[in-house]
Amino acid sequence: MRVSQLFTKTLRETPAEADTASHQLLLRAGMIHQIATGVYAYLPLGWRSLRKLEQIVREEFDRIGSQELMMPALHPLELWEKSGRHHAMGQILFSVVDRRERKLFLGPTHEEVITELARHQVRSYRDLPQLLYQIQTKFRDEPRPRGGLLRVREFDMMDLYSFDSDWEALDVTYQKVKQAYQRIYDRCGLPTIMVEADSGAIGGKDSQEFMAITDTGEDQIIYCGACKYAANLEKARSVKPEVPREPPLPLEEVSTPGMKFIEEVSGFLRVPKSHTLKAVFYSADGEIVFVAIRGDLDVNEIKLKNALKCTELRLATEAEVAGAGLVAGSASPLGLSGIKTVADDSVTEGINFVAGANRPDYHVKNVNYPRDFKVDLMLDIASAQPGQGCPKCGQGLSITRGIEVGHIFKLGTLFSEKMGAFFLDQNGEQKPIVMGSYGVGIGRLLATVIERNHDDKGIIWPVSLAPYQVYLCGLGMDKPEVVAASDQLYADLQVRGVEVLFDDRTESAGVRFNDADLLGMPLRVVVSQRTLKTQSAELKWRSQSESQTLPLEGLAEKIAGMLK
Ligand code: ATP
Ligand code: MG
């Protein structure tokens, strides 16, 4: 492709709306264009990279024996009613109504559709195992699209689904898919770590995410440097700091004038925060829930949401709290009735907590569970924090940021049972198919590769994903000898299967080298009057600062070899 004919132009200025490196660079390089919030067009250069990534994904999934298919984006409501998942997905689902007033969803993921397909195709254990995948557009009405391709509302996902006859067979499949994922990320030159994940609205048993570590990542990852335990903060467990146990003392009301916050109360009464009981109120699908947790810990809303099995969880408003007869800042689990109460398991016997008195300006000392209050649910709902102990080996935990570039789930029989996907086993018995579900966000992965591979001048593509492998620059395109030599090299490279972006413009060297750096093709080749004096060309890898001069004779062959 000749740059003079390229549909897109590069941008010199950084677009104001772009906050992450990949967003800025994809826009400046003319690879994507925003059409609406979280909706992008892939321009020719961006589309070439995306297609290369898709090809890598296809090769790796075909290698483990999966079959590609294509499912529709329009899903009838009835299918989702079978799984019941449209409630849990909530507002993320895009829906449309057809001319006959029938409701359809734009697929955010395809477990429902694939289970419907398996229900019809799989009859007996002889039809298993099966691995099926597609690369297809998903629609999710994300509350906060951001970061260019990192979080969008319409995106291509590679989604793979596995069907096995039992859990042991699923384990084997799961390992195979994990290895395919690993090879995909390796071929993209992207290091990832695997972390324990929350299964979210999809549900299911085991679930792991592949995270690329970057400062711009939205996800927080808790990990242990000693034993390699790693989990998404949403799911992470930890050993909570221990608090010395004491014999329970009698309840005692104390005056705490004007004090509402744990910090104020613990300072005033001279007790550590870990000896206070924090009350937090939530609205869970419209019902007020009282949550009690030790004052030194914080509530993890994902854990709480899972514990309550609710769809919408948010902090309750002041009016809702007052309406429930509670006094914010001085609320207490003591004497509570008619309100669902959840406590973190840090609230155990013999700690003599300071808690609210449920009247303004007063707190109560020596509150103990279960002597003084009851709860409906008691489990771990605390956020793990760096510095706390690793749940596996006890060493200190650390925290970092990452971007989720892939997710794998063991769904088990969740969908097959609800949707009637059964098979006959060796004994002629009817059994639900054991399923797995696996997703890679293609556009997000591409953007993440840029997050990890760029400098202040532009993108640094790995050869595997670059829109073109070579940026050929003829310097002095008004000189016939430069035109002849660079045209010849352009043709010779193409004959050898090398993908070349040929900068045949007459702009200054400075402008064109800046574009070469911004676009980030792996190898820059310059032909100029100077290099032609020695019948040579100048080669420079985008990832290196040194250049080398090589004879034009046999150069195309040589470059083809260097790019292998
Ligand atoms: P997130 O937690 O980031 O919202 P998710 O857990 O909802 O993602 P999955 O349902 O696991 O996403 O989807 C599989 C993969 O699809 C993710 O690992 C991610 O790479 C990609 N993906 C999910 N949502 C988006 C989005 N809004 N934009 C781009 N890619 C996405
Ligand atoms: Mg996920």
Side-chain angles (χ1 to χ4, degrees), residues 146-176:
R146 73 173 275 277
L149 298 181
L150 289 175
R151 183 172 294 284
V152 287
R153 299 194 298 163
E154 173 182 332
F155 60 99
D156 279 353
M157 195 202 283
M158 176 308 297
D159 42 331
L160 172 83
Y161 304 89
S162 67
F163 300 90
D164 281 289
S165 49
D166 56 34
W167 281 92
E168 288 71 40
L170 171 59
D171 286 344
V172 175
T173 302
Y174 201 71
Q175 288 308 324
K176 257 205 247 176

PDB file of all heavy atoms in Angstrom, residues 146-176:
ATOM      1  N   ARG A 146     -14.839   3.269  28.149  1.00  0.00           N
ATOM      2  CA  ARG A 146     -13.637   4.096  28.334  1.00  0.00           C
ATOM      3  C   ARG A 146     -12.431   3.498  27.619  1.00  0.00           C
ATOM      4  O   ARG A 146     -12.451   2.335  27.211  1.00  0.00           O
ATOM      5  CB  ARG A 146     -13.303   4.267  29.822  1.00  0.00           C
ATOM      6  CG  ARG A 146     -12.730   3.038  30.485  1.00  0.00           C
ATOM      7  CD  ARG A 146     -12.272   3.313  31.888  1.00  0.00           C
ATOM      8  NE  ARG A 146     -10.929   3.847  31.946  1.00  0.00           N
ATOM      9  CZ  ARG A 146      -9.821   3.085  31.914  1.00  0.00           C
ATOM     10  NH1 ARG A 146      -9.887   1.795  31.770  1.00  0.00           N
ATOM     11  NH2 ARG A 146      -8.632   3.638  32.003  1.00  0.00           N
ATOM     12  N   GLY A 147     -11.398   4.346  27.497  1.00  0.00           N
ATOM     13  CA  GLY A 147     -10.107   3.853  27.011  1.00  0.00           C
ATOM     14  C   GLY A 147     -10.114   3.396  25.565  1.00  0.00           C
ATOM     15  O   GLY A 147      -9.408   2.463  25.219  1.00  0.00           O
ATOM     16  N   GLY A 148     -10.911   4.025  24.725  1.00  0.00           N
ATOM     17  CA  GLY A 148     -10.931   3.607  23.317  1.00  0.00           C
ATOM     18  C   GLY A 148     -11.463   2.191  23.210  1.00  0.00           C
ATOM     19  O   GLY A 148     -12.584   1.917  23.620  1.00  0.00           O
ATOM     20  N   LEU A 149     -10.654   1.274  22.707  1.00  0.00           N
ATOM     21  CA  LEU A 149     -11.137  -0.096  22.505  1.00  0.00           C
ATOM     22  C   LEU A 149     -11.166  -0.912  23.797  1.00  0.00           C
ATOM     23  O   LEU A 149     -11.638  -2.045  23.795  1.00  0.00           O
ATOM     24  CB  LEU A 149     -10.247  -0.824  21.493  1.00  0.00           C
ATOM     25  CG  LEU A 149     -10.213  -0.233  20.078  1.00  0.00           C
ATOM     26  CD1 LEU A 149      -9.314  -1.082  19.187  1.00  0.00           C
ATOM     27  CD2 LEU A 149     -11.628  -0.165  19.483  1.00  0.00           C
ATOM     28  N   LEU A 150     -10.677  -0.349  24.896  1.00  0.00           N
ATOM     29  CA  LEU A 150     -10.579  -1.158  26.119  1.00  0.00           C
ATOM     30  C   LEU A 150     -11.950  -1.522  26.684  1.00  0.00           C
ATOM     31  O   LEU A 150     -12.148  -2.623  27.177  1.00  0.00           O
ATOM     32  CB  LEU A 150      -9.760  -0.427  27.189  1.00  0.00           C
ATOM     33  CG  LEU A 150      -8.263  -0.322  26.893  1.00  0.00           C
ATOM     34  CD1 LEU A 150      -7.567   0.532  27.951  1.00  0.00           C
ATOM     35  CD2 LEU A 150      -7.616  -1.700  26.812  1.00  0.00           C
ATOM     36  N   ARG A 151     -12.875  -0.589  26.655  1.00  0.00           N
ATOM     37  CA  ARG A 151     -14.237  -0.899  27.130  1.00  0.00           C
ATOM     38  C   ARG A 151     -15.231  -0.215  26.207  1.00  0.00           C
ATOM     39  O   ARG A 151     -15.404   0.998  26.259  1.00  0.00           O
ATOM     40  CB  ARG A 151     -14.428  -0.455  28.586  1.00  0.00           C
ATOM     41  CG  ARG A 151     -15.803  -0.836  29.140  1.00  0.00           C
ATOM     42  CD  ARG A 151     -15.932  -0.579  30.622  1.00  0.00           C
ATOM     43  NE  ARG A 151     -15.058  -1.435  31.400  1.00  0.00           N
ATOM     44  CZ  ARG A 151     -15.280  -2.728  31.635  1.00  0.00           C
ATOM     45  NH1 ARG A 151     -16.355  -3.309  31.166  1.00  0.00           N
ATOM     46  NH2 ARG A 151     -14.431  -3.431  32.349  1.00  0.00           N
ATOM     47  N   VAL A 152     -15.833  -1.000  25.354  1.00  0.00           N
ATOM     48  CA  VAL A 152     -16.751  -0.454  24.358  1.00  0.00           C
ATOM     49  C   VAL A 152     -18.115  -1.118  24.490  1.00  0.00           C
ATOM     50  O   VAL A 152     -18.297  -2.028  25.300  1.00  0.00           O
ATOM     51  CB  VAL A 152     -16.189  -0.658  22.930  1.00  0.00           C
ATOM     52  CG1 VAL A 152     -15.040   0.268  22.676  1.00  0.00           C
ATOM     53  CG2 VAL A 152     -15.780  -2.103  22.710  1.00  0.00           C
ATOM     54  N   ARG A 153     -19.066  -0.671  23.686  1.00  0.00           N
ATOM     55  CA  ARG A 153     -20.415  -1.231  23.770  1.00  0.00           C
ATOM     56  C   ARG A 153     -20.697  -2.229  22.645  1.00  0.00           C
ATOM     57  O   ARG A 153     -21.651  -2.980  22.703  1.00  0.00           O
ATOM     58  CB  ARG A 153     -21.436  -0.092  23.786  1.00  0.00           C
ATOM     59  CG  ARG A 153     -21.225   0.814  25.014  1.00  0.00           C
ATOM     60  CD  ARG A 153     -22.390   1.718  25.252  1.00  0.00           C
ATOM     61  NE  ARG A 153     -22.606   2.624  24.143  1.00  0.00           N
ATOM     62  CZ  ARG A 153     -23.723   3.295  23.949  1.00  0.00           C
ATOM     63  NH1 ARG A 153     -24.742   3.150  24.794  1.00  0.00           N
ATOM     64  NH2 ARG A 153     -23.851   4.113  22.936  1.00  0.00           N
ATOM     65  N   GLU A 154     -19.880  -2.168  21.607  1.00  0.00           N
ATOM     66  CA  GLU A 154     -19.987  -3.139  20.516  1.00  0.00           C
ATOM     67  C   GLU A 154     -18.578  -3.627  20.248  1.00  0.00           C
ATOM     68  O   GLU A 154     -17.695  -2.827  19.949  1.00  0.00           O
ATOM     69  CB  GLU A 154     -20.576  -2.444  19.275  1.00  0.00           C
ATOM     70  CG  GLU A 154     -20.563  -3.324  18.050  1.00  0.00           C
ATOM     71  CD  GLU A 154     -21.105  -2.616  16.799  1.00  0.00           C
ATOM     72  OE1 GLU A 154     -21.935  -1.701  16.925  1.00  0.00           O
ATOM     73  OE2 GLU A 154     -20.674  -2.999  15.707  1.00  0.00           O
ATOM     74  N   PHE A 155     -18.335  -4.924  20.408  1.00  0.00           N
ATOM     75  CA  PHE A 155     -16.958  -5.412  20.247  1.00  0.00           C
ATOM     76  C   PHE A 155     -16.920  -6.851  19.763  1.00  0.00           C
ATOM     77  O   PHE A 155     -17.852  -7.613  19.978  1.00  0.00           O
ATOM     78  CB  PHE A 155     -16.174  -5.297  21.556  1.00  0.00           C
ATOM     79  CG  PHE A 155     -16.752  -6.081  22.719  1.00  0.00           C
ATOM     80  CD1 PHE A 155     -16.234  -7.323  23.068  1.00  0.00           C
ATOM     81  CD2 PHE A 155     -17.808  -5.578  23.456  1.00  0.00           C
ATOM     82  CE1 PHE A 155     -16.758  -8.039  24.140  1.00  0.00           C
ATOM     83  CE2 PHE A 155     -18.343  -6.290  24.524  1.00  0.00           C
ATOM     84  CZ  PHE A 155     -17.820  -7.517  24.868  1.00  0.00           C
ATOM     85  N   ASP A 156     -15.815  -7.155  19.105  1.00  0.00           N
ATOM     86  CA  ASP A 156     -15.630  -8.527  18.645  1.00  0.00           C
ATOM     87  C   ASP A 156     -15.056  -9.360  19.770  1.00  0.00           C
ATOM     88  O   ASP A 156     -14.072  -8.971  20.395  1.00  0.00           O
ATOM     89  CB  ASP A 156     -14.669  -8.564  17.454  1.00  0.00           C
ATOM     90  CG  ASP A 156     -15.397  -8.209  16.173  1.00  0.00           C
ATOM     91  OD1 ASP A 156     -16.636  -8.083  16.223  1.00  0.00           O
ATOM     92  OD2 ASP A 156     -14.730  -8.057  15.138  1.00  0.00           O
ATOM     93  N   MET A 157     -15.696 -10.478  20.000  1.00  0.00           N
ATOM     94  CA  MET A 157     -15.170 -11.399  21.005  1.00  0.00           C
ATOM     95  C   MET A 157     -14.958 -12.747  20.346  1.00  0.00           C
ATOM     96  O   MET A 157     -15.720 -13.134  19.461  1.00  0.00           O
ATOM     97  CB  MET A 157     -16.162 -11.572  22.157  1.00  0.00           C
ATOM     98  CG  MET A 157     -15.546 -12.226  23.390  1.00  0.00           C
ATOM     99  SD  MET A 157     -16.764 -13.006  24.465  1.00  0.00           S
ATOM    100  CE  MET A 157     -17.478 -11.618  25.283  1.00  0.00           C
ATOM    101  N   MET A 158     -13.886 -13.404  20.746  1.00  0.00           N
ATOM    102  CA  MET A 158     -13.761 -14.807  20.395  1.00  0.00           C
ATOM    103  C   MET A 158     -14.409 -15.540  21.550  1.00  0.00           C
ATOM    104  O   MET A 158     -13.969 -15.398  22.684  1.00  0.00           O
ATOM    105  CB  MET A 158     -12.262 -15.137  20.271  1.00  0.00           C
ATOM    106  CG  MET A 158     -11.912 -16.557  20.002  1.00  0.00           C
ATOM    107  SD  MET A 158     -12.617 -17.809  21.069  1.00  0.00           S
ATOM    108  CE  MET A 158     -11.922 -17.382  22.637  1.00  0.00           C
ATOM    109  N   ASP A 159     -15.480 -16.236  21.297  1.00  0.00           N
ATOM    110  CA  ASP A 159     -16.057 -17.030  22.378  1.00  0.00           C
ATOM    111  C   ASP A 159     -16.089 -18.500  21.995  1.00  0.00           C
ATOM    112  O   ASP A 159     -16.507 -18.871  20.902  1.00  0.00           O
ATOM    113  CB  ASP A 159     -17.428 -16.513  22.840  1.00  0.00           C
ATOM    114  CG  ASP A 159     -18.368 -16.083  21.723  1.00  0.00           C
ATOM    115  OD1 ASP A 159     -17.882 -15.646  20.666  1.00  0.00           O
ATOM    116  OD2 ASP A 159     -19.593 -16.194  21.915  1.00  0.00           O
ATOM    117  N   LEU A 160     -15.587 -19.269  22.941  1.00  0.00           N
ATOM    118  CA  LEU A 160     -15.433 -20.713  22.750  1.00  0.00           C
ATOM    119  C   LEU A 160     -16.274 -21.399  23.819  1.00  0.00           C
ATOM    120  O   LEU A 160     -16.370 -20.907  24.946  1.00  0.00           O
ATOM    121  CB  LEU A 160     -13.951 -21.051  22.919  1.00  0.00           C
ATOM    122  CG  LEU A 160     -13.508 -22.504  22.965  1.00  0.00           C
ATOM    123  CD1 LEU A 160     -13.373 -23.048  21.550  1.00  0.00           C
ATOM    124  CD2 LEU A 160     -12.160 -22.630  23.648  1.00  0.00           C
ATOM    125  N   TYR A 161     -16.896 -22.517  23.443  1.00  0.00           N
ATOM    126  CA  TYR A 161     -17.726 -23.260  24.399  1.00  0.00           C
ATOM    127  C   TYR A 161     -17.337 -24.721  24.340  1.00  0.00           C
ATOM    128  O   TYR A 161     -17.106 -25.264  23.249  1.00  0.00           O
ATOM    129  CB  TYR A 161     -19.211 -23.079  24.064  1.00  0.00           C
ATOM    130  CG  TYR A 161     -19.592 -21.617  24.024  1.00  0.00           C
ATOM    131  CD1 TYR A 161     -19.493 -20.878  22.845  1.00  0.00           C
ATOM    132  CD2 TYR A 161     -19.987 -20.954  25.189  1.00  0.00           C
ATOM    133  CE1 TYR A 161     -19.791 -19.523  22.809  1.00  0.00           C
ATOM    134  CE2 TYR A 161     -20.296 -19.597  25.164  1.00  0.00           C
ATOM    135  CZ  TYR A 161     -20.189 -18.889  23.968  1.00  0.00           C
ATOM    136  OH  TYR A 161     -20.480 -17.546  23.952  1.00  0.00           O
ATOM    137  N   SER A 162     -17.243 -25.355  25.506  1.00  0.00           N
ATOM    138  CA  SER A 162     -16.874 -26.776  25.514  1.00  0.00           C
ATOM    139  C   SER A 162     -18.012 -27.614  26.082  1.00  0.00           C
ATOM    140  O   SER A 162     -18.765 -27.163  26.955  1.00  0.00           O
ATOM    141  CB  SER A 162     -15.602 -26.977  26.339  1.00  0.00           C
ATOM    142  OG  SER A 162     -15.830 -26.713  27.695  1.00  0.00           O
ATOM    143  N   PHE A 163     -18.113 -28.818  25.564  1.00  0.00           N
ATOM    144  CA  PHE A 163     -19.153 -29.758  25.993  1.00  0.00           C
ATOM    145  C   PHE A 163     -18.491 -31.086  26.326  1.00  0.00           C
ATOM    146  O   PHE A 163     -17.826 -31.674  25.472  1.00  0.00           O
ATOM    147  CB  PHE A 163     -20.182 -29.950  24.874  1.00  0.00           C
ATOM    148  CG  PHE A 163     -20.861 -28.665  24.495  1.00  0.00           C
ATOM    149  CD1 PHE A 163     -20.343 -27.854  23.500  1.00  0.00           C
ATOM    150  CD2 PHE A 163     -21.993 -28.240  25.177  1.00  0.00           C
ATOM    151  CE1 PHE A 163     -20.947 -26.649  23.180  1.00  0.00           C
ATOM    152  CE2 PHE A 163     -22.608 -27.030  24.861  1.00  0.00           C
ATOM    153  CZ  PHE A 163     -22.083 -26.240  23.858  1.00  0.00           C
ATOM    154  N   ASP A 164     -18.672 -31.526  27.567  1.00  0.00           N
ATOM    155  CA  ASP A 164     -18.060 -32.783  28.001  1.00  0.00           C
ATOM    156  C   ASP A 164     -19.096 -33.635  28.714  1.00  0.00           C
ATOM    157  O   ASP A 164     -20.149 -33.139  29.129  1.00  0.00           O
ATOM    158  CB  ASP A 164     -16.884 -32.489  28.952  1.00  0.00           C
ATOM    159  CG  ASP A 164     -15.634 -32.076  28.188  1.00  0.00           C
ATOM    160  OD1 ASP A 164     -15.054 -32.950  27.531  1.00  0.00           O
ATOM    161  OD2 ASP A 164     -15.267 -30.881  28.238  1.00  0.00           O
ATOM    162  N   SER A 165     -18.727 -34.907  28.904  1.00  0.00           N
ATOM    163  CA  SER A 165     -19.693 -35.812  29.537  1.00  0.00           C
ATOM    164  C   SER A 165     -19.590 -35.794  31.061  1.00  0.00           C
ATOM    165  O   SER A 165     -20.538 -36.171  31.742  1.00  0.00           O
ATOM    166  CB  SER A 165     -19.520 -37.226  29.004  1.00  0.00           C
ATOM    167  OG  SER A 165     -18.161 -37.574  29.057  1.00  0.00           O
ATOM    168  N   ASP A 166     -18.455 -35.401  31.615  1.00  0.00           N
ATOM    169  CA  ASP A 166     -18.368 -35.286  33.082  1.00  0.00           C
ATOM    170  C   ASP A 166     -17.317 -34.241  33.471  1.00  0.00           C
ATOM    171  O   ASP A 166     -16.633 -33.682  32.621  1.00  0.00           O
ATOM    172  CB  ASP A 166     -18.080 -36.641  33.737  1.00  0.00           C
ATOM    173  CG  ASP A 166     -16.818 -37.278  33.181  1.00  0.00           C
ATOM    174  OD1 ASP A 166     -15.869 -36.529  32.849  1.00  0.00           O
ATOM    175  OD2 ASP A 166     -16.782 -38.515  33.051  1.00  0.00           O
ATOM    176  N   TRP A 167     -17.216 -34.006  34.769  1.00  0.00           N
ATOM    177  CA  TRP A 167     -16.323 -32.959  35.275  1.00  0.00           C
ATOM    178  C   TRP A 167     -14.852 -33.257  35.003  1.00  0.00           C
ATOM    179  O   TRP A 167     -14.068 -32.350  34.751  1.00  0.00           O
ATOM    180  CB  TRP A 167     -16.550 -32.750  36.779  1.00  0.00           C
ATOM    181  CG  TRP A 167     -17.770 -31.934  37.046  1.00  0.00           C
ATOM    182  CD1 TRP A 167     -19.035 -32.401  37.267  1.00  0.00           C
ATOM    183  CD2 TRP A 167     -17.859 -30.508  37.084  1.00  0.00           C
ATOM    184  NE1 TRP A 167     -19.903 -31.354  37.446  1.00  0.00           N
ATOM    185  CE2 TRP A 167     -19.224 -30.174  37.355  1.00  0.00           C
ATOM    186  CE3 TRP A 167     -16.939 -29.469  36.934  1.00  0.00           C
ATOM    187  CZ2 TRP A 167     -19.664 -28.856  37.465  1.00  0.00           C
ATOM    188  CZ3 TRP A 167     -17.389 -28.151  37.051  1.00  0.00           C
ATOM    189  CH2 TRP A 167     -18.734 -27.870  37.307  1.00  0.00           C
ATOM    190  N   GLU A 168     -14.484 -34.551  35.068  1.00  0.00           N
ATOM    191  CA  GLU A 168     -13.073 -34.911  34.826  1.00  0.00           C
ATOM    192  C   GLU A 168     -12.701 -34.549  33.385  1.00  0.00           C
ATOM    193  O   GLU A 168     -11.626 -34.022  33.126  1.00  0.00           O
ATOM    194  CB  GLU A 168     -12.831 -36.417  35.046  1.00  0.00           C
ATOM    195  CG  GLU A 168     -12.869 -36.860  36.502  1.00  0.00           C
ATOM    196  CD  GLU A 168     -14.273 -36.830  37.092  1.00  0.00           C
ATOM    197  OE1 GLU A 168     -15.224 -37.216  36.372  1.00  0.00           O
ATOM    198  OE2 GLU A 168     -14.431 -36.403  38.259  1.00  0.00           O
ATOM    199  N   ALA A 169     -13.630 -34.858  32.480  1.00  0.00           N
ATOM    200  CA  ALA A 169     -13.363 -34.538  31.068  1.00  0.00           C
ATOM    201  C   ALA A 169     -13.289 -33.024  30.879  1.00  0.00           C
ATOM    202  O   ALA A 169     -12.457 -32.521  30.119  1.00  0.00           O
ATOM    203  CB  ALA A 169     -14.454 -35.134  30.185  1.00  0.00           C
ATOM    204  N   LEU A 170     -14.133 -32.291  31.603  1.00  0.00           N
ATOM    205  CA  LEU A 170     -14.086 -30.824  31.510  1.00  0.00           C
ATOM    206  C   LEU A 170     -12.719 -30.311  31.991  1.00  0.00           C
ATOM    207  O   LEU A 170     -12.152 -29.396  31.399  1.00  0.00           O
ATOM    208  CB  LEU A 170     -15.215 -30.185  32.331  1.00  0.00           C
ATOM    209  CG  LEU A 170     -15.139 -28.658  32.476  1.00  0.00           C
ATOM    210  CD1 LEU A 170     -15.167 -27.931  31.129  1.00  0.00           C
ATOM    211  CD2 LEU A 170     -16.277 -28.113  33.346  1.00  0.00           C
ATOM    212  N   ASP A 171     -12.194 -30.935  33.065  1.00  0.00           N
ATOM    213  CA  ASP A 171     -10.879 -30.515  33.566  1.00  0.00           C
ATOM    214  C   ASP A 171      -9.816 -30.623  32.476  1.00  0.00           C
ATOM    215  O   ASP A 171      -8.972 -29.741  32.326  1.00  0.00           O
ATOM    216  CB  ASP A 171     -10.455 -31.384  34.759  1.00  0.00           C
ATOM    217  CG  ASP A 171     -11.243 -31.027  36.008  1.00  0.00           C
ATOM    218  OD1 ASP A 171     -11.871 -29.943  36.022  1.00  0.00           O
ATOM    219  OD2 ASP A 171     -11.250 -31.832  36.958  1.00  0.00           O
ATOM    220  N   VAL A 172      -9.869 -31.700  31.730  1.00  0.00           N
ATOM    221  CA  VAL A 172      -8.887 -31.917  30.659  1.00  0.00           C
ATOM    222  C   VAL A 172      -9.062 -30.841  29.581  1.00  0.00           C
ATOM    223  O   VAL A 172      -8.091 -30.214  29.139  1.00  0.00           O
ATOM    224  CB  VAL A 172      -9.065 -33.332  30.046  1.00  0.00           C
ATOM    225  CG1 VAL A 172      -8.135 -33.515  28.850  1.00  0.00           C
ATOM    226  CG2 VAL A 172      -8.812 -34.402  31.113  1.00  0.00           C
ATOM    227  N   THR A 173     -10.309 -30.591  29.190  1.00  0.00           N
ATOM    228  CA  THR A 173     -10.596 -29.568  28.181  1.00  0.00           C
ATOM    229  C   THR A 173     -10.109 -28.201  28.649  1.00  0.00           C
ATOM    230  O   THR A 173      -9.489 -27.442  27.899  1.00  0.00           O
ATOM    231  CB  THR A 173     -12.114 -29.507  27.930  1.00  0.00           C
ATOM    232  OG1 THR A 173     -12.550 -30.798  27.513  1.00  0.00           O
ATOM    233  CG2 THR A 173     -12.467 -28.497  26.869  1.00  0.00           C
ATOM    234  N   TYR A 174     -10.415 -27.907  29.899  1.00  0.00           N
ATOM    235  CA  TYR A 174     -10.068 -26.608  30.496  1.00  0.00           C
ATOM    236  C   TYR A 174      -8.550 -26.368  30.400  1.00  0.00           C
ATOM    237  O   TYR A 174      -8.105 -25.276  30.048  1.00  0.00           O
ATOM    238  CB  TYR A 174     -10.516 -26.647  31.955  1.00  0.00           C
ATOM    239  CG  TYR A 174     -10.720 -25.321  32.643  1.00  0.00           C
ATOM    240  CD1 TYR A 174     -11.793 -24.501  32.325  1.00  0.00           C
ATOM    241  CD2 TYR A 174      -9.868 -24.912  33.664  1.00  0.00           C
ATOM    242  CE1 TYR A 174     -12.013 -23.306  32.990  1.00  0.00           C
ATOM    243  CE2 TYR A 174     -10.076 -23.713  34.341  1.00  0.00           C
ATOM    244  CZ  TYR A 174     -11.150 -22.911  34.004  1.00  0.00           C
ATOM    245  OH  TYR A 174     -11.364 -21.734  34.676  1.00  0.00           O
ATOM    246  N   GLN A 175      -7.781 -27.394  30.686  1.00  0.00           N
ATOM    247  CA  GLN A 175      -6.313 -27.285  30.602  1.00  0.00           C
ATOM    248  C   GLN A 175      -5.878 -27.012  29.163  1.00  0.00           C
ATOM    249  O   GLN A 175      -5.000 -26.199  28.909  1.00  0.00           O
ATOM    250  CB  GLN A 175      -5.630 -28.576  31.095  1.00  0.00           C
ATOM    251  CG  GLN A 175      -5.711 -28.787  32.594  1.00  0.00           C
ATOM    252  CD  GLN A 175      -5.225 -27.585  33.381  1.00  0.00           C
ATOM    253  OE1 GLN A 175      -4.282 -26.900  32.996  1.00  0.00           O
ATOM    254  NE2 GLN A 175      -5.881 -27.302  34.501  1.00  0.00           N
ATOM    255  N   LYS A 176      -6.514 -27.697  28.244  1.00  0.00           N
ATOM    256  CA  LYS A 176      -6.182 -27.527  26.813  1.00  0.00           C
ATOM    257  C   LYS A 176      -6.443 -26.085  26.385  1.00  0.00           C
ATOM    258  O   LYS A 176      -5.639 -25.468  25.695  1.00  0.00           O
ATOM    259  CB  LYS A 176      -7.104 -28.437  25.975  1.00  0.00           C
ATOM    260  CG  LYS A 176      -6.460 -29.692  25.474  1.00  0.00           C
ATOM    261  CD  LYS A 176      -7.212 -30.146  24.235  1.00  0.00           C
ATOM    262  CE  LYS A 176      -7.944 -31.441  24.494  1.00  0.00           C
ATOM    263  NZ  LYS A 176      -8.764 -31.920  23.397  1.00  0.00           N
TER     264      LYS A 176
END
